[in-house]
Amino acid sequence: MRLILIKFLFIGCLSLSIGGCETLKGLTAGDAADTTDEYVDWNAEKFRTEAKAAVDAGNYEKAIKLYEALESRYPFGAEAAQTQLDVAYAYFKGDDPEAAIAAADRFIKINPRSPGVDYAYYLKGLVNYNRGIGFIDRFLPTDTSQRDPGSAREAYDNFAELLRRFPESKYVPDAKQRMIALKNNLAMHEVHVARFYMKRKAYVAAVNRANYVVEKYQRTPAVPYALQILQEAYTALQMTELAADTARIYEMNYPDGPPVPEHKSSTLSHKIWDFIGLEK
């Protein structure tokens, strides 16, 4: 009786094993059908042509997919480094700053002597320069100096590193212009912070911020506004001598007021935006 029971159990287990194998075979076949390589007949030139067309059409998601497939199939050779730069650019245009910077850093690490490494540093600066520009910014003339300056500082450092490492790079002239704009924005951000302290009667904090502008951001449009804050804060602190010295310096350097109006291109929409104060 025991022998018959053992044989019965053995036959049952064997049947289940055979059924499981058939099921696994079916699943494996289905998976193989689902993962058929859609690029099986593509060569490197085909990948590049299609990816470039996707970039030109603004389909950056498709371009990224194609460039990554190209890189995985052709990881070596003269064009491999260019593919890495291309995917970094596609991430940048596709509004994925973290992936773009990661791709640029990876390129720099793998190809430190590549002729295109200067572009990788430049691209990092561009990514941070444009980070945080959203839908509203494209249609309203908002004041970028009133936002968190973290990305602006990173962009400035990226461009500064490009100038230091590759002073003869063709990207240097544009980087220099962007650095001027970034420096002006960073200086005005400090002015906005100083004004914030003035409104809350934190005069010592306002003095510190305004002095920082005068010392660290010389020859920027923010300096006369910082001097105005200093004069007002010293007066509120009853430091009359310092207030008079600041007023004399202001009159000596800016007898006709700030040479660059704070909103020199102010429009109706800009004034409305500033009145609402959504950035403050």
Side-chain angles (χ1 to χ4, degrees), residues 140-151:
L140 287 177
T142 59
D143 184 358
T144 56
S145 67
Q146 293 191 21
R147 303 195 189 100
D148 181 0
S151 296

Side-chain angles (χ1 to χ4, degrees), residues 128-193:
N128 283 314
Y129 187 89
N130 289 278
R131 193 192 289 261
I133 296 179
F135 175 82
I136 293 177
D137 304 275
R138 303 181 192 280
F139 297 96
L140 287 177
T142 59
D143 184 358
T144 56
S145 67
Q146 293 191 21
R147 303 195 189 100
D148 181 0
S151 296
R153 290 197 181 99
E154 289 183 16
Y156 189 92
D157 291 342
N158 295 146
F159 290 134
E161 188 169 13
L162 170 67
L163 267 63
R164 184 173 64 255
R165 291 177 178 269
F166 307 97
E168 303 301 322
S169 170
K170 64 181 180 180
Y171 304 109
V172 162
D174 183 73
K176 285 181 176 179
Q177 292 300 313
R178 292 178 187 275
M179 288 175 73
I180 292 172
L182 288 165
K183 189 174 182 179
N184 290 344
N185 264 2
L186 289 170
M188 281 306 302
H189 177 79
E190 296 296 326
V191 167
H192 293 315
V193 174

